[in-house]
Amino acid sequence: MENTRNDNAEKYRHEFKYLCTDAQLAILEVRLRGLMKKDVHAGQNGRYLIKSLYFDDINDRCFNENEDGTGPREKYRIRIYNNNPDRISLECKRKENDKINKKSCLLSKEQYDWLVYGRAAGPVNTLPELAKKLFVLKMCDKMEPKVIVSYERIPYVYRNGNVRVTFDRNIASSSRIDDFFRKNALVRQILPCGRQLLEVKYDEYLPDHIYHALSLANMPRIAFSKYYLCRKYHT
């Protein structure tokens, strides 16, 4: 589970994605076990469930920017882990070429209802700064929740270079916004059976021994947006 960053964080990280088979991910996980540590937030089974609610405006700007490959671009999402409503995080992910910057803040359930359903929870100035920005976009550009993206994540971390390698399995979508906190909600898988996603993130450098451990033939690096692919099933 990634840490919640300060609203003013401006640090950019490298991010690369690879489409893999189940067999390839199994090989990579065996290699990494002796080199990297599991994220401390992973459960006893070494994984956790991520569920994100993505926003887009009345013109589907975020969706179209992904389709056209334009940049830089930003996406707003609300995220929970393991269907736990006690920790709700609002995130803004900004992508420039192969680098990303992510700002985030925690939301109360009342603030979540405000941003998703328009149910006022108090004066606007009581919102965190990032939530205020989304509220302005909601008022000016009709920014609204569009799709739920869910998947299981197996996370590995390494201190030098602030490296994070994750295996994302069973990526699925749902257009039923009211099911965001619901366990066992109906979802639709977006990748063919046996296909999963590997993500590699790091700051200034990727240590050589991790780079070589991740090297496999026939594992293409791809431009992959979970939001874009999940929206395609519901537009």
Side-chain angles (χ1 to χ4, degrees), residues 62-218:
C62 300
F63 179 87
N64 292 324
E65 285 179 348
N66 263 119
E67 190 162 61
D68 297 337
T70 58
R73 54 182 183 264
E74 291 184 342
K75 293 189 186 77
Y76 282 85
R77 66 193 181 198
I78 294 177
R79 173 168 287 187
I80 57 173
Y81 297 88
N82 297 323
N83 283 306
N84 183 1
D86 296 330
R87 187 182 187 278
I88 306 171
S89 177
L90 170 65
E91 300 178 350
C92 177
K93 184 176 181 180
R94 180 178 176 87
K95 181 177 177 63
E96 294 190 27
N97 299 316
D98 292 325
K99 292 187 176 182
I100 60 167
N101 166 258
K102 190 174 73 173
K103 298 178 183 179
S104 61
C105 67
L106 295 178
L107 299 175
S108 67
K109 182 58 167 60
E110 292 75 18
Q111 290 168 336
Y112 168 87
D113 288 341
W114 194 356
L115 294 173
V116 173
Y117 298 111
R119 300 168 185 163
V124 175
N125 60 14
T126 63
L127 291 172
E129 287 301 315
L130 188 61
K132 289 179 186 176
K133 293 178 182 178
L134 178 56
F135 178 80
V136 170
L137 291 172
K138 186 179 179 72
M139 295 297 101
C140 297
D141 298 338
K142 305 299 181 184
M143 187 75 82
E144 299 292 344
K146 298 290 186 176
V147 73
I148 296 170
V149 177
S150 63
Y151 51 96
E152 293 180 353
R153 170 162 284 181
I154 301 175
Y156 285 87
V157 296
Y158 189 78
R159 184 179 63 181
N160 295 343
N162 190 22
V163 181
R164 187 175 183 83
V165 177
T166 58
F167 306 112
D168 292 346
R169 301 174 181 270
N170 302 317
I171 303 171
S173 67
S174 171
S175 60
R176 296 175 61 88
I177 305 305
D178 291 345
D179 286 349
F180 185 58
F181 294 104
R182 180 182 173 187
K183 295 181 180 180
N184 302 317
L186 293 176
V187 296
R188 180 173 183 176
Q189 300 289 320
I190 67 166
L191 290 177
C193 183
R195 291 285 178 175
Q196 316 294 350
L197 183 69
L198 167 70
E199 293 191 2
V200 181
K201 302 174 186 176
Y202 60 92
D203 287 349
E204 288 78 16
Y205 68 98
L206 181 65
D208 284 344
H209 62 291
I210 295 179
Y211 170 80
H212 290 297
L214 292 171
S215 298
L216 281 180
N218 302 317

